[in-house]
Amino acid sequence: VGLILMIALLIIPPAAARFWTHHLARMILLSAIIGGLSCYFGATLSALLPRLPAGAIIVIVAGILFLGSMIFGSARGILRRWVEHIQLTRHVAWQHLLRALYEWNEAKCSSGEKLSPNTLSVPISMQDLLAARSWSSRSLGRVLRGAERQDLVRWVPGGLVQLTEEGFHRARRVVR
């Protein structure tokens, strides 16, 4: 049992430190800090509470620090990856919206006329946007609200959506 506890104390701190940094030198330092904190708090709890074995409590404290690192780690933590995933999903949705609006403008622009920010007078209804892409009306509404906050689209009378000048330039980059 002692050997298993020693191996756990050797493995858990570096694994926990890996969630906080990508650099080896920082990981080694963090690993030493996590190991030291585990030993200090584990031994303190064992001394304060009778009949708690020090080795097992030290490993439990290290495990708790590992779980905290796994969730809140700034380099590879679950919470950080979840936030990055949400941001990427939002960015991709905006790109799809901008592409759909740009393609709508291209299709509605007369054949001899070159598409430019001045030809933004071709608004599109939500029903046409829903038909252009496989969005649900709820997700399209959410994407449109976010794009409006970013000043990429604007609402025009009649419940129609139109690209702003900034939205047009970004849409052109997305399509290219």
Side-chain angles (χ1 to χ4, degrees):
V1 173
L3 181 63
I4 293 171
L5 294 175
M6 284 181 53
I7 291 171
L9 191 57
L10 287 173
I11 300 298
I12 293 174
R18 189 73 174 125
F19 287 107
W20 293 99
T21 184
H22 295 288
H23 302 290
L24 181 63
R26 290 182 197 148
M27 189 181 90
I28 291 170
L29 180 65
L30 271 171
S31 175
I33 291 170
I34 292 170
L37 288 173
S38 300
C39 290
Y40 175 76
F41 287 114
T44 302
L45 280 173
S46 179
L48 292 175
L49 302 171
R51 296 189 183 156
L52 288 180
I57 298 301
I58 289 171
V59 171
I60 288 173
V61 170
I64 291 169
L65 290 175
F66 173 81
L67 287 175
S69 296
M70 184 173 72
I71 294 169
F72 300 110
S74 61
R76 298 169 192 256
I78 292 171
L79 191 61
R80 178 182 173 112
R81 291 203 179 202
W82 180 68
V83 168
E84 288 173 350
H85 174 73
I86 288 173
Q87 290 173 341
L88 178 64
T89 302
R90 184 179 305 136
H91 183 72
V92 168
W94 287 344
Q95 285 184 340
H96 286 298
L97 174 68
L98 292 175
R99 181 177 177 191
L101 290 170
Y102 190 87
E103 289 172 352
W104 175 264
N105 276 290
E106 277 184 328
K108 296 300 177 182
C109 191
S110 63
S111 60
E113 190 179 351
K114 185 177 178 184
L115 191 60
S116 70
N118 299 331
T119 61
L120 294 175
S121 60
V122 185
I124 184 172
S125 69
M126 282 193 59
Q127 288 74 27
D128 290 332
L129 272 173
L130 287 170
R133 297 278 189 248
S134 60
W135 287 312
S136 67
S137 58
R138 183 178 172 188
S139 66
L140 177 59
R142 186 174 42 242
V143 171
L144 283 170
R145 283 189 300 276
E148 186 179 23
R149 281 192 301 269
Q150 294 292 319
D151 197 33
L152 301 175
V153 298
R154 68 174 159 253
W155 290 96
V156 293
L160 303 175
V161 178
Q162 185 177 52
L163 284 170
T164 62
E165 190 171 341
E166 172 65 23
F168 178 84
H169 292 299
R170 287 176 78 179
R172 185 170 30 189
R173 281 195 303 266
V174 166
V175 170
R176 287 186 183 184

